[in-house]
Short mmCIF file of all heavy atoms in Angstrom, two decimals:
data_model
loop_
_atom_site.label_atom_id
_atom_site.label_comp_id
_atom_site.label_asym_id
_atom_site.label_seq_id
_atom_site.Cartn_x
_atom_site.Cartn_y
_atom_site.Cartn_z
N ALA A 16 -15.20 -19.19 1.59
CA ALA A 16 -14.74 -20.63 1.42
C ALA A 16 -15.82 -21.63 1.91
O ALA A 16 -15.87 -22.72 1.29
CB ALA A 16 -13.48 -20.85 2.12
N PHE A 17 -16.54 -21.30 2.93
CA PHE A 17 -17.37 -22.30 3.51
C PHE A 17 -18.92 -22.03 3.46
O PHE A 17 -19.75 -22.94 3.70
CB PHE A 17 -16.98 -22.53 5.00
CG PHE A 17 -15.64 -23.19 5.19
CD1 PHE A 17 -14.54 -22.46 5.43
CD2 PHE A 17 -15.54 -24.57 5.09
CE1 PHE A 17 -13.34 -23.04 5.56
CE2 PHE A 17 -14.33 -25.12 5.24
CZ PHE A 17 -13.16 -24.41 5.50
N ALA A 18 -19.31 -20.82 3.19
CA ALA A 18 -20.70 -20.52 3.21
C ALA A 18 -21.45 -21.02 2.01
O ALA A 18 -20.98 -20.87 0.83
CB ALA A 18 -20.91 -19.03 3.40
N ASP A 19 -22.70 -21.43 2.17
CA ASP A 19 -23.55 -21.66 1.06
C ASP A 19 -24.26 -20.45 0.70
O ASP A 19 -24.64 -20.13 -0.46
CB ASP A 19 -24.60 -22.77 1.46
CG ASP A 19 -23.97 -24.09 1.64
OD1 ASP A 19 -23.35 -24.63 0.76
OD2 ASP A 19 -24.06 -24.62 2.80
N LYS A 20 -24.60 -19.58 1.77
CA LYS A 20 -25.19 -18.25 1.56
C LYS A 20 -24.61 -17.34 2.58
O LYS A 20 -24.13 -17.74 3.60
CB LYS A 20 -26.72 -18.35 1.60
CG LYS A 20 -27.22 -18.51 3.05
CD LYS A 20 -28.77 -18.35 3.11
CE LYS A 20 -29.54 -19.26 2.23
NZ LYS A 20 -30.91 -19.33 2.61
N ILE A 21 -24.55 -16.08 2.14
CA ILE A 21 -24.04 -15.00 3.04
C ILE A 21 -25.15 -14.02 3.18
O ILE A 21 -25.83 -13.62 2.31
CB ILE A 21 -22.82 -14.33 2.49
CG1 ILE A 21 -21.62 -15.33 2.54
CG2 ILE A 21 -22.41 -13.07 3.27
CD1 ILE A 21 -20.28 -14.80 1.96
N ILE A 22 -25.34 -13.60 4.48
CA ILE A 22 -26.26 -12.47 4.82
C ILE A 22 -25.42 -11.31 5.26
O ILE A 22 -24.74 -11.39 6.24
CB ILE A 22 -27.16 -12.90 5.91
CG1 ILE A 22 -27.93 -14.17 5.62
CG2 ILE A 22 -28.21 -11.77 6.28
CD1 ILE A 22 -28.07 -15.18 6.74
N LEU A 23 -25.48 -10.28 4.46
CA LEU A 23 -24.65 -9.01 4.73
C LEU A 23 -25.61 -7.98 5.34
O LEU A 23 -26.58 -7.62 4.78
CB LEU A 23 -24.02 -8.51 3.47
CG LEU A 23 -23.30 -7.15 3.57
CD1 LEU A 23 -22.09 -7.25 4.49
CD2 LEU A 23 -22.79 -6.72 2.13
N VAL A 24 -25.25 -7.59 6.58
CA VAL A 24 -26.12 -6.57 7.22
C VAL A 24 -25.35 -5.33 7.50
O VAL A 24 -24.14 -5.35 7.73
CB VAL A 24 -26.71 -7.10 8.58
CG1 VAL A 24 -27.66 -8.28 8.37
CG2 VAL A 24 -25.59 -7.52 9.53
N GLY A 25 -26.01 -4.19 7.48
CA GLY A 25 -25.46 -2.89 7.72
C GLY A 25 -26.48 -1.93 8.27
O GLY A 25 -27.61 -1.88 7.71
N GLY A 26 -26.22 -1.31 9.39
CA GLY A 26 -27.18 -0.43 9.99
C GLY A 26 -28.47 -1.05 10.37
O GLY A 26 -29.55 -0.43 10.34
N GLY A 27 -28.41 -2.32 10.76
CA GLY A 27 -29.61 -3.08 11.15
C GLY A 27 -30.48 -3.57 10.03
O GLY A 27 -31.53 -4.16 10.26
N ARG A 28 -30.03 -3.43 8.76
CA ARG A 28 -30.88 -3.81 7.57
C ARG A 28 -30.01 -4.89 6.80
O ARG A 28 -28.78 -4.89 6.87
CB ARG A 28 -31.16 -2.69 6.68
CG ARG A 28 -31.94 -1.57 7.33
CD ARG A 28 -32.38 -0.50 6.42
NE ARG A 28 -33.07 0.60 7.08
CZ ARG A 28 -33.98 1.24 6.47
NH1 ARG A 28 -34.41 1.02 5.28
NH2 ARG A 28 -34.59 2.31 7.15
N MET A 29 -30.75 -5.71 6.08
CA MET A 29 -30.02 -6.69 5.21
C MET A 29 -29.66 -6.04 3.89
O MET A 29 -30.56 -5.60 3.11
CB MET A 29 -30.98 -7.92 4.97
CG MET A 29 -30.28 -9.01 4.29
SD MET A 29 -31.15 -10.59 4.43
CE MET A 29 -32.65 -10.21 3.43
N ILE A 30 -28.34 -5.90 3.67
CA ILE A 30 -27.89 -5.25 2.50
C ILE A 30 -27.91 -6.21 1.27
O ILE A 30 -28.19 -5.81 0.13
CB ILE A 30 -26.46 -4.73 2.70
CG1 ILE A 30 -26.46 -3.76 3.93
CG2 ILE A 30 -25.93 -4.01 1.51
CD1 ILE A 30 -27.36 -2.57 3.83
N ALA A 31 -27.52 -7.52 1.55
CA ALA A 31 -27.44 -8.47 0.45
C ALA A 31 -27.65 -9.86 1.06
O ALA A 31 -27.31 -10.12 2.17
CB ALA A 31 -26.17 -8.33 -0.29
N LEU A 32 -28.18 -10.72 0.21
CA LEU A 32 -28.40 -12.13 0.58
C LEU A 32 -28.17 -13.00 -0.67
O LEU A 32 -28.77 -12.76 -1.73
CB LEU A 32 -29.84 -12.41 1.13
CG LEU A 32 -30.24 -13.79 1.26
CD1 LEU A 32 -29.48 -14.45 2.42
CD2 LEU A 32 -31.75 -13.90 1.67
N GLY A 33 -27.32 -13.99 -0.60
CA GLY A 33 -27.07 -14.91 -1.68
C GLY A 33 -25.77 -15.62 -1.57
O GLY A 33 -25.18 -15.75 -0.47
N ARG A 34 -25.37 -16.22 -2.65
CA ARG A 34 -24.10 -16.97 -2.72
C ARG A 34 -22.95 -16.07 -2.44
O ARG A 34 -23.06 -14.90 -2.77
CB ARG A 34 -23.99 -17.72 -4.05
CG ARG A 34 -25.04 -18.77 -4.23
CD ARG A 34 -24.64 -19.63 -5.51
NE ARG A 34 -24.58 -18.74 -6.71
CZ ARG A 34 -25.61 -18.47 -7.43
NH1 ARG A 34 -26.82 -18.96 -7.14
NH2 ARG A 34 -25.48 -17.74 -8.50
N PRO A 35 -21.77 -16.51 -1.94
CA PRO A 35 -20.68 -15.67 -1.73
C PRO A 35 -20.31 -14.76 -2.93
O PRO A 35 -19.96 -13.62 -2.83
CB PRO A 35 -19.54 -16.66 -1.35
CG PRO A 35 -20.27 -17.75 -0.65
CD PRO A 35 -21.53 -17.92 -1.42
N SER A 36 -20.31 -15.45 -4.10
CA SER A 36 -19.99 -14.70 -5.34
C SER A 36 -20.91 -13.56 -5.66
O SER A 36 -20.64 -12.62 -6.35
CB SER A 36 -19.92 -15.63 -6.52
OG SER A 36 -21.22 -16.27 -6.69
N GLU A 37 -22.17 -13.66 -5.14
CA GLU A 37 -23.22 -12.62 -5.36
C GLU A 37 -23.07 -11.46 -4.26
O GLU A 37 -23.37 -10.33 -4.61
CB GLU A 37 -24.59 -13.23 -5.29
CG GLU A 37 -24.80 -14.26 -6.38
CD GLU A 37 -26.16 -15.04 -6.13
OE1 GLU A 37 -26.54 -15.24 -4.97
OE2 GLU A 37 -26.74 -15.51 -7.14
N VAL A 38 -22.74 -11.88 -3.05
CA VAL A 38 -22.71 -10.84 -1.99
C VAL A 38 -21.44 -10.16 -1.80
O VAL A 38 -21.39 -8.94 -1.55
CB VAL A 38 -23.12 -11.57 -0.62
CG1 VAL A 38 -23.02 -10.64 0.52
CG2 VAL A 38 -24.53 -12.19 -0.72
N LEU A 39 -20.27 -10.85 -1.97
CA LEU A 39 -18.99 -10.28 -1.70
C LEU A 39 -18.50 -9.49 -2.93
O LEU A 39 -17.58 -9.90 -3.64
CB LEU A 39 -18.01 -11.40 -1.37
CG LEU A 39 -18.32 -12.12 -0.05
CD1 LEU A 39 -17.33 -13.21 0.18
CD2 LEU A 39 -18.32 -11.19 1.13
N SER A 40 -19.15 -8.41 -3.19
CA SER A 40 -18.73 -7.47 -4.24
C SER A 40 -18.06 -6.31 -3.64
O SER A 40 -18.30 -5.89 -2.50
CB SER A 40 -19.94 -7.04 -5.12
OG SER A 40 -20.79 -6.18 -4.40
N ALA A 41 -17.22 -5.65 -4.48
CA ALA A 41 -16.51 -4.45 -3.97
C ALA A 41 -17.50 -3.38 -3.59
O ALA A 41 -17.35 -2.65 -2.56
CB ALA A 41 -15.58 -3.96 -5.10
N GLU A 42 -18.60 -3.25 -4.31
CA GLU A 42 -19.63 -2.27 -4.00
C GLU A 42 -20.28 -2.50 -2.70
O GLU A 42 -20.48 -1.59 -1.85
CB GLU A 42 -20.67 -2.19 -5.12
CG GLU A 42 -20.13 -1.69 -6.48
CD GLU A 42 -19.38 -2.76 -7.24
OE1 GLU A 42 -19.38 -3.99 -6.82
OE2 GLU A 42 -18.66 -2.41 -8.19
N ASN A 43 -20.73 -3.77 -2.46
CA ASN A 43 -21.37 -4.15 -1.23
C ASN A 43 -20.51 -3.91 -0.03
O ASN A 43 -20.97 -3.36 1.02
CB ASN A 43 -21.87 -5.59 -1.23
CG ASN A 43 -23.07 -5.80 -2.07
OD1 ASN A 43 -23.90 -4.89 -2.36
ND2 ASN A 43 -23.36 -7.03 -2.44
N LEU A 44 -19.25 -4.33 -0.12
CA LEU A 44 -18.38 -4.24 1.02
C LEU A 44 -18.01 -2.73 1.25
O LEU A 44 -17.78 -2.39 2.40
CB LEU A 44 -17.13 -5.07 0.76
CG LEU A 44 -17.40 -6.60 0.63
CD1 LEU A 44 -16.13 -7.37 0.39
CD2 LEU A 44 -18.16 -7.14 1.87
N GLN A 45 -17.88 -1.97 0.28
CA GLN A 45 -17.60 -0.57 0.44
C GLN A 45 -18.78 0.09 1.16
O GLN A 45 -18.60 0.95 2.09
CB GLN A 45 -17.36 0.11 -0.93
CG GLN A 45 -17.39 1.64 -0.89
CD GLN A 45 -16.34 2.22 -0.04
OE1 GLN A 45 -16.57 3.08 0.79
NE2 GLN A 45 -15.07 1.85 -0.21
N SER A 46 -20.00 -0.26 0.85
CA SER A 46 -21.17 0.31 1.42
C SER A 46 -21.32 -0.03 2.95
O SER A 46 -21.84 0.82 3.65
CB SER A 46 -22.44 -0.10 0.70
OG SER A 46 -22.74 -1.47 0.95
#
């Protein structure tokens, strides 16, 4: 709702970076 960009990290690495609609995918969140 509020982010201009989201940084998704997992295991100390950046998994995804971008707008919420780009980062918050079922595949990314499952991983």
Side-chain angles (χ1 to χ4, degrees):
F17 290 98
D19 295 299
K20 71 171 58 163
I21 291 179
I22 305 141
L23 175 62
V24 295
R28 301 186 183 211
M29 189 163 67
I30 304 301
L32 169 67
R34 296 188 300 273
S36 59
E37 297 169 331
V38 174
L39 297 176
S40 69
E42 294 78 14
N43 283 341
L44 298 181
Q45 168 60 233
S46 72

